[in-house]
Amino acid sequence: MIREATPDDVPDILAMIGELAAYERAAEAAQATEPQLKEALFGPQPAAFALIAEDAGTPVGFALWFRNFSTWTGTHGVYLEDLYVRPEARGGGHGKALMAALARICVARGYQRFEWSVLDWNEPSIGFYRSIGARPMDEWTVFRLTGGALHTLAETAPANGA
């Protein structure tokens, strides 16, 4: 049911990213292209990795993740960027199987953390995550710097070769 993604999966992954963005009420924000995704997942220095959930040979979900690092534990971890199962396949165990596969990657590689973010209004996902033993990090707030603010900060920082 769960397998590593291949370059042939990129169109399906991109389509599901669009479906996820629409579900999260941000369809216009999903701007990745097939060449970008193919390079990120399968280029000479992959920036991310993906698992595919299949049902009768048809991709019905995916998990896209990358390694992070904890200075506190001194180990890498997994950051789950996207987890998505198509509506018609929900309830079939695909989401849990994807999460279990990622947990196995963590354990096998000695990673001590498996983390992700979820929108605070997404009660079905929050309930699912709680059901598998995940707990919210309520004391932490995610910050993001994009667009003009990102460029403004970059322009004000002293140039030191970084």
Side-chain angles (χ1 to χ4, degrees):
M1 181 190 319
I2 305 301
R3 62 173 176 77
E4 289 186 14
T6 69
D8 291 339
D9 292 311
V10 169
D12 286 319
I13 294 169
L14 194 59
M16 288 187 279
I17 289 170
E19 293 168 26
L20 174 60
Y23 173 77
E24 291 183 348
R25 306 172 190 160
E28 70 288 344
Q31 298 178 11
T33 66
E34 281 190 33
Q36 286 175 320
L37 199 53
K38 191 169 278 192
E39 178 69 19
L41 294 171
F42 305 106
Q45 296 181 349
F49 308 91
L51 299 175
I52 299 293
E54 286 185 331
D55 192 357
T58 300
V60 296
F62 79 103
L64 193 141
W65 63 278
F66 54 88
R67 290 187 325 163
N68 58 14
F69 184 80
S70 168
T71 57
W72 290 16
T73 68
T75 63
H76 284 288
V78 163
Y79 185 84
L80 176 61
E81 178 66 19
D82 286 333
L83 175 71
Y84 180 74
V85 175
R86 289 186 157 140
E88 65 273 13
R90 291 182 189 153
H94 302 290
K96 186 171 184 179
L98 286 164
M99 296 295 280
L102 289 169
R104 283 191 296 277
I105 289 169
C106 286
V107 170
R109 296 180 185 182
Y111 300 168
Q112 296 184 29
R113 292 183 179 171
F114 176 15
E115 300 175 317
W116 60 92
S117 297
V118 62
L119 292 165
D120 60 4
W121 56 260
N122 191 344
E123 289 298 329
S125 292
I126 292 168
F128 166 66
Y129 297 141
R130 287 182 186 275
S131 78
I132 61 171
R135 296 294 169 250
M137 301 286 295
D138 292 333
E139 66 275 14
W140 292 89
T141 299
V142 175
F143 279 81
R144 180 176 292 160
L145 193 59
T146 62
L150 175 64
H151 288 271
T152 298
L153 181 61
E155 292 165 7
T156 60
N160 63 359

